[in-house]
Amino acid sequence: MDFDEGMHAFADVQLLSELSPHGSLPNPRTVLAVLLFNAGQARRRVGAFDDASSLYAASQHTLDDEEEDKSLSPVSVASAVVSPLKLQPIIVPILHNIGQLQYRRGRIQEAIDTYSETLRCARIIHGEDHTTVAAALNSLGVLHYHSSSDESDEAMALFQDALRIRVNSLGLNHPDVATTLNNIGRIHVQRDEFDEALQYYEDALRIRGARLGTDSLDYAATAFNAGQSLHQKGEYDRALYLYHEFLRVALVKFTKNHRDVAVVLSGIAQIHQEKKEYDKALELYEESLQAGKAAL
């Protein structure tokens, strides 16, 4: 269930009007980069991920081109000269989307490298405590979480830094804060720290329910995560309620023949089995199996 991780920042097109907030004409290469990026966003929305990836790469290359505008002065960062075109704000969403597609394809180390560059550019362009920096930190945390359980300390540090920026910039009850809270909860689950995980999940669930609605997928995903932690703690009734909350939303968003529906049905079945309600458990296991097969 990767839809709740916060990897889909910068999913919208970029407006050309935002390139010239003070009325000056934007650099022509920057305009071209934005147009290519927006074309990539359009291709991505219809599922043409290879085309989107090529357009993002072309957009990035436009800013990397050696034939730069000579009127722009290079920027020195840590004794290295950085292309002024490369430091246009559009580079952050370009890199973020390149990294997200690498993640989608399972190329975790490539994605880590791309998001590390995203983070570097975001800090130079926007400053240390900007929300674009938090988005890159959160995404890097997700990647380290998936990379290896041995990297949970690195992932936790990245999430905590992202959370600090988001709380300070957006307030305690913003959906992006809930996203990072949810991710921190998953680190605690990875460490078998279920009480700590529940604290973060419950805060995320409250925010997502209030801000996104109880019919949103992100609310449902956190309900499922909290249900898993309660299940591990043996709090079956609360776990069942939250599993059913996920199922209620998933059946509307996905229909019954979806892998995540199969997963939650299996979890519900396991609880009934542990409660020695074997007939109910068997019925649910069969439903889970049917949903899983149909989703293949």
Side-chain angles (χ1 to χ4, degrees), residues 99-111 143:
Q100 204 280 330
L101 287 181
Q102 290 167 337
Y103 167 57
R104 178 187 176 89
R105 292 165 172 162
R107 289 150 46 184
I108 300 295
Q109 188 54 55
E110 287 183 37
L143 292 165

Side-chain angles (χ1 to χ4, degrees), residues 66 105-106 125 181 244 248 256 279:
E66 293 180 358
R105 292 165 172 162
I125 295 166
L181 290 170
H244 280 288
R248 174 183 62 80
K256 192 170 185 177
D279 290 342

Side-chain angles (χ1 to χ4, degrees), residues 9 129-135 138 161-180 207 211:
D129 295 323
H130 195 267
T131 52
T132 57
V133 172
N138 181 83
D161 205 6
L163 182 63
R164 174 187 60 79
I165 294 170
R166 284 177 161 172
V167 168
N168 289 339
S169 300
L170 304 171
L172 289 169
N173 296 313
H174 193 277
D176 288 350
V177 170
T179 294
T180 303
I207 296 168
R211 296 296 302 274

Side-chain angles (χ1 to χ4, degrees), residues 178-194:
T179 294
T180 303
L181 290 170
N182 184 74
N183 287 335
I184 292 172
R186 297 202 305 172
I187 294 291
H188 285 295
V189 168
Q190 193 177 56
R191 297 173 175 177
D192 293 332
E193 298 167 352
F194 300 111

Side-chain angles (χ1 to χ4, degrees), residues 256-290:
K256 192 170 185 177
N257 298 327
H258 190 276
R259 61 173 189 174
D260 291 340
V261 171
V263 169
V264 76
L265 285 170
S266 179
I268 294 170
Q270 187 176 349
I271 288 179
H272 285 292
Q273 180 179 349
E274 291 167 7
K275 294 174 70 175
K276 303 188 187 305
E277 298 169 352
Y278 299 117
D279 290 342
K280 184 65 174 176
L282 181 59
E283 177 187 340
L284 287 161
Y285 278 132
E286 288 174 349
E287 284 188 47
S288 173
L289 183 60
Q290 290 172 3

